[in-house]
Amino acid sequence: MMQTTPRTLFAKLWDDHLIQPESESTPAVLYVDLHLVHEVTSPQAFSVLRERGLRVRRTDRTLATMDHSTPTTPRGLDGRIPVVDVQARAQLAQLEQNCADYGVPLFTLGSEHQGIVHVIGPELGFTQPGMTIVCGDSHTSTHGAFGALAFGIGTSEVAHVLATQCLLQRRALTMEVRMDGVLAPGVTAKDLILRLISEIGVGGATGHILEYTGSAIRALSMEERMTVCNMSIEAGARAGMIAPDETTFEYLAGRPHAPTGADWDVALARWRTFTADEGASHDRTVVLDANSIKPMITYGTNPGMGIAVDAPVPTPSQLSDASERRALEKALAYMALEPGEILLGKPVDVVFLGSCTNSRISDLRLAAAAMRGKRVASTVRMLVVPGSQEVKRQAEGEGLDEIFRAAGAEWREAGCSMCIAMNGDELAPGQYAVSTSNRNFEGRQGKGGRTFLASPLTAAATAIAGRIADARTIVGGR
Amino acid sequence: MEPFVTLHSTGVVLPLENVDTDQIIPARFLKTTDRLGLGTNLFADWRYDAAGAAKPEFVLNRPEAKTAQLLVAGKNFGCGSSREHAPWALLGYGFRAVVSSEFADIFRNNALGNGLLPIALPEPAVDRISALIAREPAARFTIDLVAQSFALPGGERFDFHVDPFARHCMLEGVDQLGYLANKEPEIAAFERTRAGVS
């Protein structure tokens, strides 16, 4: 038998979906198994189909939902979620029209399975190991948690996939991120990924696909793995991946769109092959000691500007690189923070629990357990936004909504909400928020708003204290 | 897509690293279903004050920026969100090329697909160009996509590299969909080999 070179997980998925290999003059033609669509990045792509008289090639591999510009305000007496923004209403109507015209399945606002695109794909069992998955959204990297090759694309590429079920791609490099050890009580998957990004920076993985390995990764639940893979893009990576294992298979079993019966056995045998071969080599390797990770929080205006929650904010004058110094000065000016300041104890105005990073049932359970019988500080507005209608129903079934409501938090409908601030949920200028979302860019949560990214536990602890709090104090870890 | 062969233009410098696409075009302007009309809100929150008036200190509001088709920025330009509205906004404003020492992957793809040329040059070259613009705002640069060269007024040149396929499409002014659509027989054959695989 011919000796084959050991392959990375990425290489296996790449090879498996290659219709035409790349050459010097042409990129590879890569087949897409699942294309997720939402209202914001698809209208101009459907326009391309219309202009050229093209159809959607595989409506059975395409799935649309409404999440970005959708309000999360409670339903009216008619049971519908009111959309007051004229532009948002037109955009949502356009998606409905496009999906009707082209035969694309759509979960409309407030319907049974509607939710954030990266929450519903996995929870309905559409997302499976070994797949290529794309969406006009950078956080498509989330689905890599299942051992899928999943990445965000632009709207022109959305049109490419709609029309041909394929993409033109250059092969990426790979970076192994090995995390061994055990996360301390009060430390979550969110802290793990924030720590990684703080170490390698927001451009640290540009051009690479991350393959997460190690005992700390293996110990994570599927939802925690999604949190990690979700933010791979914040390090500049195209995608993040975790090889599937029993945790993955257990999560998938019984999901509405997962295979059943004999098909399940066939699929399972195939899925088990999606691991990196022994001896497969990566272009780069980063090693992180999970034991050393503390609850993390960002202080600046990109997700790489993160520190342990009890550490001082960095001091610009201590940076030797002029460009980095300037960036830090600008970030601290925007955030109205002092060099060396300790964020613990800093009052905040808003706490946001939600987004494709941290709006799944386990995130809500974690926060609810910390908030049971307690009150959100009177100076704080807390929004709890489930990632999908399914998560919302599940949370309500478990009484989590009652815990949040009793604490004085707002219990909202499913959507991206304050993570993207284009749906009515936003910070006022100058407000501080602790958010479980993924981006703290200037204005990301509303013009002039100031975001501290953190875990759901840190968010819950902060909501109660009214000030940035150490999650370890509420789980007895310290 | 408008062909891109050569560009002869002045430049403006945004001396910041990690400029994310939320700054290039804030999310609240993404409720459009059109690709046109985004240029007015390019860098909206850096460009306008709370009352909507132009901030004079912001580089795009300086007189010399009005006609510049070249933007020079710090490393990791276009990071964050995959929104193609970012290159649409830059093109809508009038930019045809962006120079940086590094581009975020999705932004670079989106730019190339729309005829906005991302020119990756080593950091010292970006610094030289930025310094020159600071000294002589009227300095004109010549970008030649055929030769893949970036020329300073004095004749000094920097070579850059663009993916050959994207370069071909930009030179011809054709988008990439036509090429993909012609692969239909190969795509159909591939699908037949994967029957039964989800």
Side-chain angles (χ1 to χ4, degrees):
Chain A
M1 205 177 116
M2 202 177 72
Q3 191 82 28
T4 53
T5 316
R7 291 183 299 168
T8 60
L9 173 58
F10 163 70
K12 287 186 181 181
L13 267 61
W14 175 265
D15 294 347
D16 199 35
H17 292 85
L18 208 51
I19 291 182
Q20 175 188 294
E22 61 186 328
S23 70
E24 202 187 315
S25 59
T26 51
V29 177
L30 196 71
Y31 192 72
V32 173
D33 291 318
L34 176 63
H35 184 197
L36 302 166
V37 171
H38 65 79
E39 73 275 19
V40 173
T41 57
S42 68
Q44 297 88 346
F46 281 105
S47 298
V48 170
L49 299 195
R50 255 185 210 102
E51 284 158 21
R52 304 192 190 192
L54 298 167
R55 76 216 185 292
V56 174
R57 194 173 188 287
R58 292 294 298 265
T59 51
D60 58 333
R61 292 188 178 277
T62 313
L63 177 68
T65 187
M66 297 176 166
D67 54 5
H68 281 68
S69 61
T70 56
T72 65
T73 37
R75 291 167 193 251
L77 292 174
D78 59 356
R80 298 170 75 98
I81 300 164
V83 185
V84 293
D85 184 296
V86 177
Q87 260 198 310
R89 198 156 61 215
Q91 193 172 54
L92 295 170
Q94 187 64 55
L95 182 64
E96 276 201 79
Q97 184 70 53
N98 289 336
C99 289
D101 288 356
Y102 288 92
V104 172
L106 166 68
F107 299 136
T108 55
L109 183 57
S111 64
E112 193 185 358
H113 297 304
Q114 176 253 337
I116 305 177
V117 64
H118 311 308
V119 174
I120 64 167
E123 89 185 353
L124 294 171
F126 285 108
T127 300
Q128 294 171 19
M131 280 184 162
T132 44
I133 302 175
V134 301
C135 174
D137 189 289
S138 60
H139 292 112
T140 307
S141 57
T142 310
H143 307 262
F146 291 78
L149 173 58
F151 52 91
I153 56 176
T155 296
S156 296
E157 291 175 314
V158 170
H160 295 176
V161 181
L162 288 174
T164 69
Q165 204 57 32
C166 289
L167 273 177
L168 292 169
Q169 287 285 302
R170 288 286 178 187
R171 189 186 172 118
L173 303 171
T174 63
M175 184 191 298
E176 181 184 10
V177 178
R178 197 165 62 240
M179 300 184 181
D180 287 312
V182 179
L183 295 176
V187 179
T188 70
K190 181 64 164 289
D191 303 301
L192 189 154
I193 187 66
L194 282 175
R195 167 77 182 273
L196 173 73
I197 303 164
S198 76
E199 295 213 352
I200 69 174
V202 285
T206 302
H208 291 75
I209 307 267
L210 305 182
E211 287 192 20
Y212 297 97
T213 63
S215 60
I217 295 294
R218 286 291 139 217
L220 298 177
S221 71
M222 279 320 293
E223 297 194 347
E224 291 170 323
R225 293 179 189 186
M226 284 188 247
T227 298
V228 170
C229 288
N230 172 275
M231 289 190 73
S232 303
I233 177 72
E234 310 310 337
R238 277 312 297 273
M241 310 173 80
I242 296 173
D245 57 14
E246 297 310 316
T247 304
T248 321
F249 309 142
E250 197 177 301
Y251 176 96
L252 277 164
R255 300 263 159 195
H257 290 269
T260 52
D263 290 343
W264 170 266
D265 298 331
V266 172
L268 195 60
R270 201 171 146 266
W271 293 345
R272 288 189 192 282
T273 67
F274 297 124
T275 56
D277 290 331
E278 189 78 33
S281 74
H282 293 271
D283 299 287
R284 282 172 66 192
T285 299
V286 173
V287 179
L288 210 63
D289 173 17
N291 299 310
S292 72
I293 300 175
K294 293 179 173 182
M296 295 287 293
I297 193 157
T298 63
Y299 57 85
T301 52
N302 73 47
M305 293 177 167
I307 47 175
V309 72
D310 54 2
V313 168
T315 301
S317 61
Q318 289 172 358
L319 295 179
S320 55
D321 182 275
S323 178
E324 282 176 24
R325 192 164 57 238
R326 208 158 50 227
L328 180 56
E329 282 166 355
K330 188 174 191 302
L332 296 188
Y334 181 84
M335 294 295 290
L337 296 175
E338 295 300 323
E341 188 174 342
I342 300 286
L343 295 179
L344 268 183
K346 189 172 183 67
V348 301
D349 307 290
V350 173
V351 170
F352 170 58
L353 176 57
S355 88
C356 58
T357 312
N358 283 124
S359 65
R360 296 180 181 83
I361 191 68
S362 57
D363 299 313
L364 303 189
R365 283 179 190 146
L366 203 59
M371 292 176 67
R372 184 188 297 274
K374 302 210 171 77
R375 294 281 306 170
V376 173
S378 60
T379 48
V380 169
R381 176 191 181 198
M382 184 182 190
L383 286 89
V384 183
V385 187
S388 69
Q389 295 294 335
E390 174 60 30
V391 171
K392 182 164 182 272
R393 275 191 302 277
Q394 205 178 345
E396 287 170 352
E398 296 176 16
L400 306 187
D401 61 319
E402 282 309 319
I403 295 174
F404 291 124
R405 280 210 191 88
E410 297 174 32
W411 178 245
R412 316 276 296 193
E413 289 291 332
C416 299
S417 182
M418 208 182 260
C419 176
I420 190 149
M422 59 180 295
N423 43 47
D425 298 345
E426 59 183 10
L427 297 177
Q431 277 189 323
Y432 283 110
V434 162
S435 294
T436 64
S437 49
N438 40 58
R439 288 185 175 138
N440 52 352
F441 298 147
E442 289 185 27
R444 171 75 180 192
Q445 294 201 273
K447 189 174 173 171
R450 296 163 175 153
T451 302
F452 299 114
L453 299 176
S455 76
L457 261 187
T458 300
T462 300
I464 296 161
R467 299 159 181 278
I468 293 174
D470 190 328
R472 291 170 295 188
T473 59
I474 57 168
V475 294
R478 187 169 127 166
Chain B
M1 183 165 104
E2 213 176 306
F4 189 119
V5 182
T6 56
L7 179 68
H8 191 58
S9 172
T10 56
V12 289
V13 184
L14 191 60
L16 298 169
E17 56 183 52
N18 303 319
V19 172
D20 59 79
T21 53
D22 272 88
Q23 306 317 312
I24 298 173
I25 183 83
R28 63 183 183 278
F29 301 114
L30 269 48
K31 285 180 274 186
T32 176
T33 55
D34 205 334
R35 53 179 82 202
L36 298 177
L38 291 158
T40 346
N41 291 310
L42 175 71
F43 294 116
D45 291 345
W46 288 346
R47 202 165 143 199
Y48 307 113
D49 64 19
K55 295 182 190 172
E57 71 277 14
F58 185 62
V59 61
L60 290 199
N61 293 326
R62 292 191 201 138
E64 64 266 24
K66 297 286 173 270
T67 53
Q69 293 176 283
L70 170 69
L71 179 67
V72 181
K75 71 174 178 197
N76 198 26
F77 186 82
C79 62
S81 157
S82 61
R83 60 191 69 168
E84 198 161 319
H85 309 68
W88 294 338
L90 287 158
L91 285 163
Y93 178 88
F95 288 119
R96 292 302 312 275
V98 183
V99 166
S100 173
S101 60
E102 184 185 307
F103 291 93
D105 291 325
I106 307 178
F107 174 84
R108 187 186 52 239
N109 253 346
N110 287 342
L112 287 168
N114 284 278
L116 175 72
L117 184 64
I119 303 171
L121 294 176
E123 224 156 278
V126 179
D127 291 345
R128 279 241 336 109
I129 295 162
S130 304
L132 178 61
I133 294 172
R135 247 185 357 257
E136 303 170 39
R140 293 176 81 82
F141 303 89
T142 303
I143 295 151
D144 182 341
L145 183 55
V146 178
Q148 298 184 96
S149 80
F150 184 102
L152 274 56
E156 189 181 353
R157 279 168 190 278
F158 299 115
D159 292 333
F160 61 88
H161 176 78
V162 177
D163 177 79
F165 181 74
R167 176 166 159 263
H168 162 81
C169 290
M170 282 188 81
L171 288 170
E172 300 295 321
V174 296
D175 68 28
Q176 303 173 1
L177 178 52
Y179 175 85
L180 256 184
N182 283 331
K183 297 288 169 192
E184 174 57 32
E186 287 88 343
I187 299 168
F190 178 85
E191 285 179 328
R192 282 192 296 275
T193 67
R194 284 172 66 86
V197 175
S198 54

